[in-house]
Amino acid sequence: MSRIGNLPIEIPAAVKVAIEGATVKIEGPKGKSSFTLPPEVAIKQEESKLVLTNEAGNRRGKAMHGLSRSLLFNNVKGVSEGFVKKMEIHGVGFRAAVQGDKLNLNLGYSHPINYPVPEGIKITVEEQTKLTIEGSDKQLVGAVAADIRSFYPPEPYKGKGVRFVGEQIRRKEGKTAQGK
């Protein structure tokens, strides 16, 4: 029995849910989303809650039960509140700017990096070094943040690079000169 799958999903007042067979359509103030349930999982709406049940009873059914509940919960939370990732850029001369639908990053390379911002994602830049990534799809927000971080991951010697706010970088000691 899936402990996570058995938890009901609370539906906020501003969110509308429509169940059409195995497809669940969710609409809220931050956007729209839809989710197709696997055949092992059934859903029903009770007042302002969504309840998922495992129809198969086998090992795959248990796994899909918990996974479906988590993904559906993230969709409901995304259209009602949204998801946010905050990042910071460390390094002399490193900066970012949003130009239309592209994020322009200067990270010490000989060329600027122009990253096209996907649809459904909003990126804001403060003080040229602080990025805020917002969106209603948790997976997409995390993927965009990981893509931006991959352009210049934090390095352990000087700590330069793009990192998440609060991320701890384990620093290394550089080489020392050998005296005779």
Side-chain angles (χ1 to χ4, degrees):
M1 178 186 299
S2 172
R3 293 182 187 149
I4 292 184
N6 287 333
L7 297 173
I9 300 170
E10 297 284 335
I11 302 172
V15 176
K16 296 176 186 166
V17 176
I19 301 171
E20 299 169 2
T23 303
V24 181
K25 294 185 179 181
I26 307 160
E27 191 172 335
K30 296 278 185 177
K32 296 178 183 178
S33 178
S34 68
F35 181 72
T36 304
L37 292 167
E40 296 90 357
V41 179
I43 188 168
K44 61 183 173 184
Q45 187 171 357
E46 298 174 354
E47 296 169 12
S48 65
K49 293 181 182 176
L50 291 175
V51 179
L52 280 82
T53 54
N54 180 1
E55 295 294 310
N58 57 13
R59 185 178 177 138
R60 178 172 161 76
K62 289 179 187 179
M64 291 294 116
H65 187 208
L67 174 70
S68 299
R69 191 263 178 204
S70 294
L71 293 175
L72 202 54
F73 174 78
N74 286 340
N75 283 346
V76 170
K77 185 177 178 186
V79 297
S80 63
E81 302 169 21
F83 294 99
V84 176
K85 288 268 188 189
K86 294 185 180 276
M87 304 182 85
E88 49 193 22
I89 301 173
H90 290 271
V92 176
F94 288 16
R95 70 183 111 231
V98 176
Q99 298 170 341
D101 62 343
K102 293 193 184 298
L103 176 67
N104 187 348
L105 297 163
N106 291 318
L107 300 175
Y109 297 121
S110 61
H111 60 281
I113 298 167
N114 291 316
Y115 179 74
V117 179
E119 194 173 318
I121 296 292
K122 180 183 171 203
I123 298 179
T124 54
V125 178
E126 299 168 18
E127 303 173 22
Q128 296 183 337
T129 59
K130 294 184 170 108
L131 299 166
T132 305
I133 303 163
E134 298 175 275
S136 63
D137 185 356
K138 185 175 187 177
Q139 187 271 332
L140 187 59
V141 170
V144 168
D147 285 346
I148 293 171
R149 185 180 187 273
S150 72
F151 292 130
Y152 201 119
E155 53 99 9
Y157 295 101
K158 291 186 179 179
K160 299 184 338 182
V162 181
R163 67 176 81 162
F164 296 107
V165 170
E167 181 180 3
Q168 296 292 320
I169 305 301
R170 184 175 288 163
R171 301 289 295 269
K172 292 183 180 177
E173 189 175 322
K175 292 183 179 179
T176 57
Q178 295 286 330
K180 288 188 177 185

